């Protein structure tokens, strides 16, 4: 009741360095966070995802919310692979996450061997 948004965070990963709790990409392990139409093979859709408490704007590039997230770092803005994953918020209701994958896992060039999947925690925001 009366929840306006939802916060998603990548699960802690103490077994791997760099962390593999968010690994949704067709690229290499050196990929950071990738967003928007740059995610063209595999991605998560979080409607109007932003890395701030603002429903439509965010810190980083792009400055507006995005729908597609992929790469090795969980962030709704483009970042290098040395960046930490950060909380991602959505204020679009109903709260949904969609997963898109293609049919090329392990068979494309370069192979999508870095596609490990994802583990997210969530907390509804007042």
């Amino acid at each position: 009741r009366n929840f306006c948004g939802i916060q998603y965070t990548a699960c802690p990963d103490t077994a791997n360095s760099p962390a593999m709790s968010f690994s949704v990409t067709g690229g290499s392990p050196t990929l950071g966070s990738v967003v928007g139409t740059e995610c063209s093979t595999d991605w998560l859709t979080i409607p109007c995802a932003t890395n701030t408490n603002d429903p439509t704007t965010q810190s980083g590039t792009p400055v507006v919310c995005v729908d597609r997230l992929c790469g090795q770092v969980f962030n709704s803005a483009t970042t290098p692979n040395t960046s930490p994953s950060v909380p991602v918020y959505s204020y679009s209701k109903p709260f949904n996450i969609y997963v898109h994958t293609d049919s090329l896992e392990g068979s494309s060039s370069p192979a999508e061997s870095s596609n490990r999947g994802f583990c997210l925690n969530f907390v509804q925001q007042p």
Side-chain angles (χ1 to χ4, degrees):
R1 291 186 194 136
N2 298 323
F3 288 106
C4 297
I6 192 162
Q7 175 194 57
Y8 300 100
T9 53
C11 297
D13 181 2
T14 57
N16 296 294
S17 182
M20 298 296 282
S21 57
F22 184 79
S23 177
V24 180
T25 181
S28 74
T30 61
L31 202 59
S33 63
V34 181
V35 298
T37 56
E38 294 298 313
C39 299
S40 60
T41 56
D42 305 309
W43 66 81
L44 256 61
T45 297
I46 298 176
C48 203
T50 175
N51 61 12
T52 66
N53 287 323
D54 189 300
T56 58
T57 62
Q58 64 178 345
S59 175
T61 303
V63 295
V64 295
C65 64
V66 297
D67 288 337
R68 291 183 184 183
L69 292 85
C70 64
Q72 303 293 318
V73 175
F74 187 64
N75 194 329
S76 58
T78 302
T79 61
N81 68 329
T82 54
S83 299
S85 289
V86 299
V88 170
Y89 302 85
S90 177
Y91 297 91
S92 294
K93 295 178 188 170
F95 303 130
N96 289 308
I97 293 179
Y98 303 96
V99 179
H100 176 274
T101 60
D102 61 14
S103 62
L104 303 176
E105 308 317 302
S107 64
S108 62
S109 180
E112 296 186 14
S113 58
S114 298
N115 235 354
R116 303 286 175 101
F118 61 93
C119 172
L120 299 176
N121 292 316
F122 67 93
V123 176
Q124 288 184 305
Q125 304 294 298

